[in-house]
Amino acid sequence: MPERLFVCTPSKLGAYTDCPRRYRYSYIDRPTPPKGPPWAHNSLGASVHTTLKNWYALPTERRGTEVLPGLLKSTWVREGYRDVEQERVAYRKALDWLETYVAGLDPSDEPLGVERVVATKTSILALNGRADRIDGRTGPEGPEAVIVDYKTGRAGLSDDDARGSMALALYAYAASRVFRRPCRRVELHHLPTGTVAAHEHTDESLARQLRRAEETATDIMAAEKAVAAGADPDDEFPTNPGTLCGWCDFRKVCPAGADAVAKDPWASVERLTEPGAS
């Protein structure tokens, strides 16, 4: 019998790459181990993403900056903030980012997809993922698709971040098959700074990222088979101690994470909302 395809999203593969133990806690162990409290930066990012999604859902004539306060307020996620005052500062920051960003968009420009799920298969993967935005543009060879990913973290991003992102490359690979047009350009739109980090993939670089994803999936399937055959799950899904441990949802139940200094749920947003922060 042929091997069953590994059903995955880019984030699922990324979880294993970051830490096999976190992958196990998230996708294998049932019941799922208890998570820590919600993160304020996740709430902030989700609020901004949903606002942009709803902005594009409006009729063209209503796509202005004046609708953003209402859209953001209606989608605002309140979890994870230290207190009401910090939440208010974060809201004002988010609205400022959105107004600046939307002012630079063409309201009449209809993307190929917004929060669009794209999917494809290889001999190993059954891949699907939700891209923030997929633009239709005209390139040197005619119509093409471009992957746009919104970022709201404090740190600025470089073109190397776009080049090295396996997730963006997988979105591009899948989008080219869904829309039947080339999709090689990937962009990270960093709203706090108004900057764009971009990379133009080649067929070869997309193929390398696809092989990387397939190798990751092969490692996961091998570990799952070993556990099913009686191997110790802790050995097959080891921890990867590092700076990410303090931000991990499963820090309290993980032996490695227990030694890490815990981050407050609002720590990342606290840096964002300091006076003078971008």
Side-chain angles (χ1 to χ4, degrees), residues 59-71:
T60 302
E61 64 274 11
R62 291 189 57 204
R63 292 181 191 166
T65 57
E66 68 279 358
V67 301
L68 291 171
L71 291 178

Side-chain angles (χ1 to χ4, degrees), residues 55-229:
W55 185 83
Y56 272 109
L58 293 173
T60 302
E61 64 274 11
R62 291 189 57 204
R63 292 181 191 166
T65 57
E66 68 279 358
V67 301
L68 291 171
L71 291 178
L72 181 60
K73 184 176 181 180
S74 67
T75 64
W76 185 252
V77 182
R78 307 193 63 180
E79 296 179 318
Y81 294 98
R82 180 187 60 224
D83 51 36
V84 172
E85 180 55 31
Q86 186 187 60
E87 183 185 345
R88 286 173 178 165
V89 173
Y91 175 89
R92 290 194 294 268
K93 281 281 186 180
L95 183 57
D96 181 57
W97 301 340
L98 285 162
E99 289 176 339
T100 302
Y101 183 71
V102 165
L105 298 176
D106 182 352
S108 65
D109 188 9
E110 291 289 351
L112 294 174
V114 176
E115 294 287 339
R116 172 64 188 265
V117 173
V118 290
T120 190
K121 293 180 180 179
T122 73
S123 60
I124 296 173
L125 302 174
L127 174 72
N128 71 87
R130 187 184 301 274
D132 290 344
R133 198 173 88 215
I134 304 173
D135 285 352
R137 303 182 193 170
T138 301
E141 301 174 5
E144 64 180 22
V146 176
I147 301 298
V148 173
D149 193 57
Y150 307 129
K151 293 297 181 184
T152 56
R154 180 173 185 265
L157 299 164
S158 70
D159 290 347
D160 283 343
D161 293 302
R163 178 186 59 83
S165 171
M166 182 172 68
L168 293 182
L170 294 177
Y171 288 138
Y173 179 82
S176 67
R177 280 145 181 78
V178 171
F179 294 104
R180 300 186 182 278
R181 63 173 71 185
C183 185
R184 300 187 182 94
R185 184 174 176 84
V186 297
E187 297 179 351
L188 295 168
H189 290 204
H190 190 243
L191 272 68
T193 58
T195 57
V196 175
H199 179 68
E200 196 79 29
H201 277 288
T202 63
D203 290 342
E204 291 75 19
S205 65
L206 286 176
R208 283 196 298 271
Q209 291 283 18
L210 188 61
R211 285 196 299 272
R212 178 183 165 200
E214 290 179 331
E215 288 166 0
T216 301
T218 300
D219 289 343
I220 294 172
M221 289 187 288
E224 290 178 341
K225 286 181 179 179
V227 171

